[in-house]
Amino acid sequence: MPTDAQLRGLYRLSYWLTYITLQSIHLVCVDDRTSNLYVLAGSIENLEFQITPDGEVF
């Protein structure tokens, strides 16, 4: 289950990807090993992001 900070980070990232850069989001899942949210995006699925439990986006 994502943390509140991860959900806020996911909202900011989703807004930036879909409304600012007009990129589609293909996958959002939780990595059980690290507890990070994993986001796969882009027209050819070439953008990868991870959101840590404290909300940092990498």
Side-chain angles (χ1 to χ4, degrees):
M1 181 62 100
T3 65
D4 288 338
Q6 281 176 314
L7 293 175
R8 286 191 299 272
L10 179 61
Y11 179 81
R12 287 190 308 272
L13 179 62
S14 298
Y15 180 85
W16 179 76
L17 283 169
T18 57
Y19 291 108
I20 305 300
T21 64
L22 302 175
Q23 298 293 320
S24 57
I25 297 172
H26 298 280
L27 175 73
V28 177
C29 64
V30 177
D31 184 348
D32 291 330
R33 298 169 294 147
T34 61
S35 297
N36 290 350
L37 280 181
Y38 178 78
V39 180
L40 182 63
S43 58
I44 56 172
E45 299 177 7
N46 59 339
L47 302 173
E48 299 177 19
F49 300 92
Q50 289 191 37
I51 304 173
T52 62
D54 62 352
E56 283 190 75
V57 178
F58 293 105

